[in-house]
Amino acid sequence: MQHNILATMRSLKIIDGCMGTQVYALNPSDTGTTTMGCGVGEKILQHIHDHIKAQTLRTKSVHNFQPSNLSDVVVTAEGSFLPYGLPMTELLEPKIEPSMRSFNFVETLADVHRRTENCPQFEKSGMFLEQCAVFRGLADPKLFRRSLRSARQHAVDVHMKVVLASWLRYERREDELIGLSSMDCCGRNLECPKATLVPGYDPESVYDSCICSRDCGSSCFYYGNEDSLLVVDEVEECSTSSEEEDGDMSFCIGENEIRCRRFNMASLSRPFKTMLYGGFMESWREKINFSQNGFSAEVMRAAEIFSRTKRLDQFEPNLVLELLSLANRFCCKEMKSACDAYLASLVCDLENAVLLVEYGLEDNAYLLVAACLQVFLRELPSSMHCSAVMKLFCSPEGRDRLALVGHSSFMLYYFLSQIAMEEEMRSNTTVMLLERLVECAADGWEKQLAFHLLGVVMLERKEYKDAQHWFQAAVEAGHVYSSVGIARTKYKRGHTYSAYKLMNSLISDYKPVGWMYQERSLYCVGKEKMMDLISATELDPTLSFPYKYRAVSLLEDKKIEPAIAEINKIIGFKVSPDCLELRAWFLIAMEDYEGALRDVRAILTLDPNYMLFYGNMHGDHLVELLCPVVNQGCLADCWMELYERWSSVDDIGSLAVVHQMLAKDPGKSLLRFRQSLLLLRLNSQKAAMRSLRLARNHSTSDHERLVYEGWILYDTGHREEALAKAEESISIQRSFEAYFLKAYALADSVLDSESSTYVIHILEEALRCPSDGLRKGQALNNLGSVYVDCDKLDLAADCYMNALNIKHTRAHQGLARVYHLKNHRKAAYDEMTKLIEKARNNASAYEKRSEYCDRDMAKNDLSMATQLDPLRTYPYRYRAAVLMDDHKEAEAIAELTRAIDFRPDLQLLHLRAAFHDSIGDYVSTVRDCEAALCLDPNHAETIELCKNAREQIKEQN
C-alpha cells in the first residue's frame, strides 16, 4: 500500500495535473499500510514511473492511433461510437488468475483426495476447504459448492459452522430474494442459523430436519459448551419471595440487601465458594458488602435467582448483559454459558449484532460473538459498508479481539476476502482483509493462496514492488503459478528480459502448460511471440488471450474480417464479456451496428456493470448510442425474432433479443427465466442464477414464485427441495413450468419403468397447460427422450416431429437417435445434417452425427467438433478408444492427456485410468482414479477400478 504522503500529494492534484486521470486514490487516513521496507521517496518515484508508463500507453491508444480507412466509418450524427479509438495489441495482457493453479493439476487432485480420505475425522473440514481452493479456479461452480457443503458437514465447532453455512448461503445469494431476511432459514440443517450455534461434531446431523422446524421453535434456547448441551423451555415466571425468606446470608449493595442461600451462591464458581466457605472473613459473616465491585443490586438478585433456578428467561436483556459481566468476572461457567446462549438467541439483525458483539468480545462470550458474526456474514456484501463491522474485520486489533474469543480463522478471512475481491479488487478493504488472511495462514496451501491473492491485488493497484514481494513469497511457499506474477511485475517495472528469462526457465524446468507460453509471449516480439501464442492455444485452447491478441493484430493489419473470425473461434465455445466486447469493437469499425448492438446487449446480460473501451464507457451508454442507427422492432417483432434465433440455436442472439425485450418490460419474470436458460446453455452459471433470482423477485403470483425458487434450488444441487417447491406450486395452480420442473427433477435420477411412466405422465400434464412454443418444444423433446429410454420409439418419433413443427431445432438429434435405433443409419445421418445446417452452434451436432457414419467420416466429424469446441470430451474419448483398438496404447493415452491437461474431466480421467490398468501401469491408474474421485467421490466404477489397482500394487510389492 502507498504511504500517506503519496495520498496527500494526490489530494493536492500534483500528480493528476502532470499526467492525467484514472488514479485510484487511497484514503489518507488508512493505516493498514505495507511498506515492504522501502523508503518513502523511493515508493513515490516508483509509483510515478509506473503511472507515467501506463498513462503514456493509454494516451497513445486514445489520441494518437488513427487507422487509415477506418476512422471515417465510426462517426455518426450522434458522434463517435469509438471515442477511445480501436484496440491495440500493446494494451492487451492476460489476467493473472486469483486462485491456485498447478502445472500438474491431476497430481494435485489426486493428492488432495488421498489426504482427505486418510485424514482424521476432525480434520476433514479443513481438507474440504482446501478442495474448495483447488476448485475455485475451475469453470464449474458446482464442484466448489459440493466441497463447501462437505466442509460444513464435517465442521467441528460453532465458528466453522457459522462461516461455512454463511458461505453456502452467499453462494446461493438467497439474501437477494425479496421477502426474505438474512436470518431466515431455508429449511436445511446445513445452513440453518440456529443449527450453526449448536456445538459438537456430528456430520450426519446436516441431513436432519432443521432446528427451526421443531416444535420448540422460539420457545426454547440452547446453551452449553462443547461437552454438554442443554435445552431450556420457557415456563411461567418463578416465584422468588419464599426462597429469599429462606436465605441464610445477604449481599449488600448500597442500601439494598439481597438475601441468598450461601450454598447455592457458592456453587456458582470457585471464587464464590472460596469467598463464602474459605478462610476469609466473609465466610462467617451473614451480610457481605458488595458495593465496591461495580455491579447493581438487580444483577445480584438475578444471580441469586439463577443460583436456584438455573433460568434466565424472566430477565430483561440488559440485565442478562450485566449478569454475563458478573459471571465472567467471578468465573461462573454455567451462568456465563447460559447468558452467552441466551444473548446469542436475541441476535437477529445487523443493528443489534453491532451492539452486542462489543459485549461478547469484552466478556469473552463465544456463542454471542458467533451469533453476531453470523449476522455480519449473512448480510454480506451489504455489511461491508458498515464501518463498525469493517473495523472489526479489517484491523489487526479487531482480528486479535476475535482471536481471543475463538473467532479468527483462515476460513473466515478467505470468505471475506473473496467477497471483497468480487466487490472491488483495488479497494483498501480488500487489501486489509488479505493482510489478515496472511496473518491467519498456516504453512502449505494456505500461505500459497494468501500470498498469491495479495500479489494479484497489489498488481491491480499498480503497486508493483509490493506485488512482486508477495508473488515471490507465494513461490517460495510452493505455488509455482505465482512465478507469472513475478515476471509480470518485473515487466511492469521495465525489466522485460528478466521476465522473459524467468518464464523461459519455468518452461525448461517443468512440464510446459498453456499459461507458461502465454505469459512468455508478453516478453518477446515478432514471430517468437506468435509461436508462443500458438503453443499456448495448442496446450490450452480455453485461454482467451491468444485469440484476442491474434485478432487485434489482424485488425492492426487492416484485416477486420479475419480478426472477427479469430475472435469467433473462442466465442463459439467459451462466451465471456471481454471477447464479446472485442468483437463488438470490430463490428463497429465495419459499420455492422446491428451485430455490435447484439454483442453489447449480450455483454450486459452476462455482466450488467461492464465497462467498455478499457473501462471508460458503460455498456448501457453504448446501447443508447447504437439504438438510433439500428432498427428496433416492437415487442411482437422481438418475440418473432426470439423464435427464429432460438430455432437456429443462436444463444448469443437470443440473449440480445431478451435483453431488448426486458428494456421494454423490465418486470417480466418469464423473460428473466428465458434469460437464465440461455445463460446456462452458455455455461454462465453465476449470471444465470442472478436472472433466476430476478425472475423470482418479479413474480406476480405465488405459484410462479415457487417454480423459480425450485429452479434455484435445483441448480444449486438441492433436488428434493426443488421437487417440494414444484409440488407446492401445482397444489396452488396447475402450470406448465411447475410440471416441467417436477418432471425435470424426477428424471435427474436413474429411472426404472415405473418412474419413467410417472415422468411421462407429468410431461403430458405439462403439455396440457398453456405455454409458448419455445418451452413446449423443450417439453416434447424431453418426453421423446423418456419414450426412447422406455423403448417406445414410435411415440418418441411423434414427439420429436411435433417439436420440429414448432421449430425446436434440437429435436433433430432425438429423431436421429430414433432412426438409429430402428437401424436406419442413413436417415439418422441425414437428420443430424439438417441440424448442422440450421444450428449456429453445431459442435454437438457434428459430435452426434459421428455416431451414424463409418470410421473415416466419424473421425472427420469429431475433428470438426473438437475444432469448434475443444471442451467437448467425447471426441477425445472416441479417438483414444480407436487407438487402443489398434493396439496403440501410448498414442491413446496421449490423446486423453492432451484434453486432461486443460480439462480434467471425470470421464476422461476414468478412461485413462482404465487404459493405464490395461497395460499394467497400476500407479498411474491409482493416480487418475484418485483425481477422478476428487471430482466425484461416489463414482462406483472408478472406486472399483482404484480398489483393484491398489490390490495389484500390493501384490507386486
Side-chain angles (χ1 to χ4, degrees):
M1 295 176 64
Q2 305 297 329
H3 287 274
N4 290 344
I5 187 170
L6 177 55
T8 305
M9 289 179 68
R10 287 176 177 165
S11 68
L12 294 173
K13 300 191 183 295
I14 295 173
I15 296 175
D16 293 353
C18 294
M19 291 175 290
T21 58
Q22 294 290 321
V23 180
Y24 291 96
L26 302 182
N27 184 352
S29 63
D30 178 33
T31 59
T33 59
T34 307
T35 64
M36 313 307 301
C38 62
V40 174
E42 180 186 352
K43 190 92 169 179
I44 295 170
L45 289 173
Q46 181 63 48
H47 182 86
I48 293 173
H49 170 77
D50 296 335
H51 189 67
I52 288 174
K53 181 178 178 181
Q55 290 298 322
T56 300
L57 286 174
R58 186 179 295 279
T59 304
K60 182 179 178 182
S61 169
V62 174
H63 300 294
N64 298 341
F65 181 57
Q66 298 292 338
S68 59
N69 303 324
L70 293 177
S71 59
D72 57 341
V73 302
V74 296
V75 180
T76 69
E78 296 294 324
S80 173
F81 290 135
L82 297 175
Y84 302 97
L86 289 166
M88 297 178 63
T89 52
E90 60 187 295
L91 292 180
L92 291 175
E93 63 179 39
K95 291 282 186 184
I96 295 177
E97 294 294 327
S99 57
M100 296 179 69
R101 296 194 71 169
S102 172
F103 62 90
N104 194 330
F105 194 62
V106 173
E107 288 282 4
T108 300
L109 289 176
D111 176 63
V112 170
H113 174 76
R114 193 181 312 118
R115 288 187 289 115
T116 302
E117 288 291 298
N118 297 328
C119 75
Q121 284 289 99
F122 289 168
E123 296 177 13
K124 283 192 180 293
S125 186
M127 284 305 307
F128 283 118
L129 185 66
E130 183 176 351
Q131 279 191 21
C132 290
V134 170
F135 292 144
R136 192 66 176 181
L138 298 184
D140 187 359
K142 290 181 180 179
L143 290 171
F144 174 83
R145 286 197 292 262
R146 192 205 69 212
S147 292
L148 201 60
R149 284 195 292 270
S150 297
R152 165 63 184 92
Q153 178 184 358
H154 291 277
V156 298
D157 57 35
V158 167
H159 172 76
M160 295 174 72
K161 293 176 184 178
V162 164
V163 174
L164 292 167
S166 301
W167 202 338
L168 282 167
R169 190 179 193 281
Y170 178 78
E171 286 294 312
R172 291 188 299 107
R173 307 290 202 280
E174 196 169 71
D175 53 306
E176 293 183 6
L177 301 182
I178 292 173
L180 292 179
S181 74
S182 64
M183 295 303 289
D184 284 340
C185 180
C186 63
R188 292 181 295 277
N189 214 18
L190 200 67
E191 299 173 35
C192 172
K194 290 184 179 178
T196 60
L197 298 180
V198 177
Y201 175 70
D202 185 5
E204 298 306 313
S205 68
V206 297
Y207 303 112
D208 297 340
S209 61
C210 112
I211 290 176
C212 302
S213 64
R214 296 177 190 169
D215 293 337
C216 59
S218 60
S219 65
C220 69
F221 63 90
Y222 297 77
Y223 72 87
N225 51 37
E226 296 292 332
D227 302 317
S228 62
L229 178 67
L230 301 179
V231 182
V232 182
D233 294 317
E234 291 182 7
V235 292
E236 66 278 358
E237 259 188 45
C238 298
S239 173
T240 62
S241 57
S242 60
E243 287 85 353
E244 288 183 357
E245 292 173 0
D246 294 340
D248 54 4
M249 54 86 59
S250 301
F251 286 104
C252 299
I253 301 176
E255 297 181 358
N256 297 289
E257 183 176 328
I258 299 91
R259 198 71 178 163
C260 305
R261 292 177 181 171
R262 185 180 294 270
F263 176 80
N264 289 340
M265 290 300 294
S267 68
L268 288 177
S269 70
R270 184 177 295 274
F272 271 119
K273 183 178 181 180
T274 303
M275 178 197 308
L276 298 174
Y277 285 108
F280 298 94
M281 62 179 64
E282 286 84 359
S283 62
W284 49 267
R285 286 183 177 175
E286 183 180 349
K287 295 183 179 181
I288 299 174
N289 188 353
F290 222 64
S291 300
Q292 304 302 315
N293 285 286
F295 294 105
S296 66
E298 289 77 10
V299 78
M300 285 305 300
R301 190 168 289 112
E304 187 277 328
I305 293 172
F306 181 84
S307 72
R308 291 182 286 103
T309 66
K310 308 300 181 187
R311 301 182 50 78
L312 295 171
D313 44 279
Q314 58 188 298
F315 305 131
E316 292 294 321
N318 286 341
L319 188 58
V320 179
L321 280 171
E322 192 177 357
L323 194 61
L324 173 66
S325 182
L326 174 72
N328 193 52
R329 173 90 66 87
F330 289 93
C331 305
C332 306
K333 291 183 179 180
E334 184 182 16
M335 187 163 70
K336 179 180 177 180
S337 181
C339 293
D340 189 8
Y342 180 83
L343 292 168
S345 71
L346 302 179
V347 182
C348 57
D349 57 39
L350 188 61
E351 184 179 356
N352 65 25
V354 170
L355 176 67
L356 289 172
V357 73
E358 286 301 319
Y359 291 97
L361 291 169
E362 187 69 26
D363 291 314
N364 196 27
Y366 180 77
L367 276 184
L368 176 55
V369 175
C372 296
L373 181 65
Q374 179 163 248
V375 172
F376 299 154
L377 297 180
R378 291 172 76 96
E379 288 279 358
L380 288 169
S382 59
S383 59
M384 280 190 163
H385 302 293
C386 175
S387 58
V389 174
M390 284 299 98
K391 182 180 179 183
L392 179 63
F393 286 144
C394 293
S395 66
E397 297 78 15
R399 190 194 73 84
D400 290 343
R401 295 183 73 193
L402 287 170
L404 286 173
V405 75
H407 286 292
S408 175
S409 67
F410 180 86
M411 183 183 298
L412 169 65
Y413 283 100
Y414 184 24
F415 178 29
L416 291 170
S417 61
Q418 289 297 305
I419 296 176
M421 291 174 74
E422 285 182 19
E423 290 291 296
E424 176 49 64
M425 186 172 281
R426 300 180 181 94
S427 71
N428 289 349
T429 295
T430 303
V431 174
M432 288 187 286
L433 287 172
L434 286 172
E435 288 173 343
R436 305 292 80 77
L437 183 71
V438 167
E439 292 167 0
C440 294
D443 288 336
W445 74 271
E446 292 184 1
K447 284 194 181 297
Q448 293 175 25
L449 179 63
F451 294 154
H452 179 73
L453 292 180
L454 201 43
V456 169
V457 169
M458 290 300 183
L459 182 64
E460 284 289 315
R461 288 163 65 98
K462 297 181 173 61
E463 300 178 29
Y464 301 128
K465 191 171 183 180
D466 288 353
Q468 184 173 333
H469 166 86
W470 291 115
F471 284 130
Q472 185 68 51
V475 170
E476 291 172 359
H479 192 231
V480 178
Y481 176 66
S482 294
S483 300
V484 170
I486 299 174
R488 192 74 62 87
T489 51
K490 287 184 175 183
Y491 170 66
K492 294 291 186 181
R493 300 176 70 190
H495 308 302
T496 305
Y497 183 62
S498 178
Y500 177 84
K501 284 202 306 180
L502 175 59
M503 294 313 301
N504 206 41
S505 65
L506 206 63
I507 292 170
S508 301
D509 295 342
Y510 296 94
K511 177 186 175 183
V513 288
W515 53 261
M516 294 180 183
Y517 284 101
Q518 174 179 268
E519 189 65 25
R520 193 176 70 172
S521 72
L522 295 180
Y523 316 129
C524 49
V525 295
K527 290 183 179 180
E528 190 178 356
K529 177 185 284 285
M530 286 303 181
M531 289 299 295
D532 272 355
L533 291 173
I534 291 170
S535 297
T537 300
E538 288 176 350
L539 290 169
D540 187 352
T542 67
L543 295 172
S544 62
F545 174 74
Y547 301 93
K548 291 165 67 176
Y549 188 91
R550 287 189 291 262
V552 176
S553 295
L554 290 165
L555 175 73
E556 292 177 341
D557 292 338
K558 304 180 182 62
K559 299 175 182 177
I560 302 183
E561 290 185 0
I564 293 173
E566 180 65 29
I567 202 66
N568 279 345
K569 290 179 182 177
I570 189 165
I571 291 175
F573 67 90
K574 184 182 177 183
V575 177
S576 62
D578 57 330
C579 292
L580 285 172
E581 176 195 6
L582 209 53
R583 188 170 73 176
W585 221 329
F586 299 159
L587 292 170
I588 290 173
M590 289 184 65
E591 285 192 295
D592 183 357
Y593 303 126
E594 184 176 350
L597 181 58
R598 172 204 63 206
D599 284 349
V600 176
R601 287 190 183 280
I603 289 168
L604 290 172
T605 305
L606 293 166
D607 183 355
N609 300 314
Y610 193 80
M611 299 292 289
L612 298 155
F613 306 140
Y614 299 116
N616 288 300
M617 180 186 290
H618 196 284
D620 285 330
H621 182 54
L622 187 55
V623 170
E624 292 173 6
L625 291 176
L626 291 171
C627 279
V629 296
V630 176
N631 182 31
Q632 301 289 300
C634 64
L635 200 58
D637 294 331
C638 288
W639 273 110
M640 291 299 294
E641 185 181 359
L642 181 59
Y643 268 86
E644 290 300 320
R645 291 187 180 276
W646 196 288
S647 178
S648 63
V649 198
D650 179 9
D651 294 331
I652 293 175
S654 300
L655 270 185
V657 176
V658 172
H659 185 273
Q660 180 183 345
M661 296 167 77
L662 283 168
K664 300 175 186 293
D665 188 3
K668 192 75 170 177
S669 59
L670 176 64
L671 290 173
R672 296 284 183 189
F673 180 56
R674 293 288 187 277
Q675 193 178 67
S676 72
L677 296 175
L678 288 163
L679 289 165
L680 283 175
R681 282 186 193 173
L682 294 170
N683 202 31
S684 302
Q685 295 194 25
K686 183 178 178 181
M689 288 299 295
R690 182 177 64 243
S691 294
L692 263 179
R693 288 192 292 271
L694 288 170
R696 185 268 187 196
N697 287 343
H698 286 106
S699 300
T700 56
S701 63
D702 287 341
H703 76 272
E704 186 182 25
R705 173 182 55 79
L706 288 165
V707 169
Y708 299 141
E709 288 178 359
W711 279 114
I712 290 171
L713 288 164
Y714 178 82
D715 288 340
T716 51
H718 302 288
R719 177 177 163 273
E720 296 299 328
E721 292 89 337
L723 275 171
K725 292 286 185 181
E727 294 279 11
E728 188 178 353
S729 177
I730 292 169
S731 70
I732 297 172
Q733 180 175 322
R734 289 163 45 90
S735 70
F736 173 90
E737 292 299 349
Y739 279 117
F740 190 84
L741 169 61
K742 183 177 178 180
Y744 202 91
L746 284 171
D748 188 29
S749 59
V750 178
L751 297 178
D752 54 26
S753 58
E754 184 178 349
S755 55
S756 294
T757 302
Y758 185 54
V759 171
I760 290 170
H761 168 71
I762 297 300
L763 284 170
E764 289 173 342
E765 288 294 319
L767 289 164
R768 293 189 186 101
C769 299
S771 184
D772 58 74
L774 297 176
R775 292 298 278 159
K776 288 213 169 183
Q778 181 66 58
L780 285 166
N781 197 61
N782 287 15
L783 182 56
S785 297
V786 181
Y787 277 136
V788 169
D789 293 339
C790 296
D791 203 26
K792 298 178 180 179
L793 300 183
D794 290 336
L795 290 173
D798 290 341
C799 286
Y800 292 129
M801 292 299 294
N802 289 333
L804 288 171
N805 289 336
I806 53 177
K807 293 188 173 183
H808 187 76
T809 307
R810 286 182 171 86
H812 282 297
Q813 182 170 319
L815 191 56
R817 184 183 175 199
V818 171
Y819 289 146
H820 175 64
L821 291 171
K822 289 184 174 183
N823 294 319
H824 301 155
R825 291 191 54 161
K826 178 65 167 62
Y829 181 88
D830 292 342
E831 203 65 37
M832 291 309 302
T833 301
K834 293 176 185 177
L835 178 56
I836 289 170
E837 292 168 350
K838 290 181 181 179
R840 291 280 187 92
N841 301 315
N842 51 21
S844 64
Y846 277 107
E847 178 184 296
K848 197 66 180 176
R849 191 176 72 170
S850 70
E851 298 179 22
Y852 311 133
C853 53
D854 59 38
R855 177 178 286 194
D856 289 338
M857 294 177 68
K859 287 173 66 176
N860 291 334
D861 275 354
L862 291 174
S863 177
M864 179 60 73
T866 298
Q867 182 181 333
L868 294 172
D869 183 357
L871 290 174
R872 307 192 72 83
T873 61
Y874 174 75
Y876 302 99
R877 289 185 283 125
Y878 176 88
R879 289 189 289 264
V882 169
L883 289 166
M884 282 296 287
D885 287 343
D886 295 338
H887 303 288
K888 298 178 180 178
E889 292 86 356
E891 291 92 333
I893 291 172
E895 177 66 24
L896 293 174
T897 301
R898 185 161 68 95
I900 288 171
D901 283 345
F902 65 86
R903 184 168 185 201
D905 173 79
L906 172 67
Q907 292 179 318
L908 291 173
L909 286 165
H910 175 76
L911 187 57
R912 192 172 73 171
F915 287 178
H916 282 305
D917 185 72
S918 69
I919 63 175
D921 186 355
Y922 301 117
V923 173
S924 296
T925 301
V926 170
R927 178 204 61 201
D928 284 352
C929 285
E930 288 174 338
L933 291 171
C934 192
L935 299 173
D936 182 0
N938 301 313
H939 195 253
E941 293 179 3
T942 304
I943 293 171
E944 184 65 23
L945 181 60
C946 189
K947 178 183 176 183
N948 293 336
R950 284 172 175 162
E951 290 175 355
Q952 290 292 333
I953 292 172
K954 286 181 181 178
E955 289 179 9
Q956 289 179 353
N957 292 337

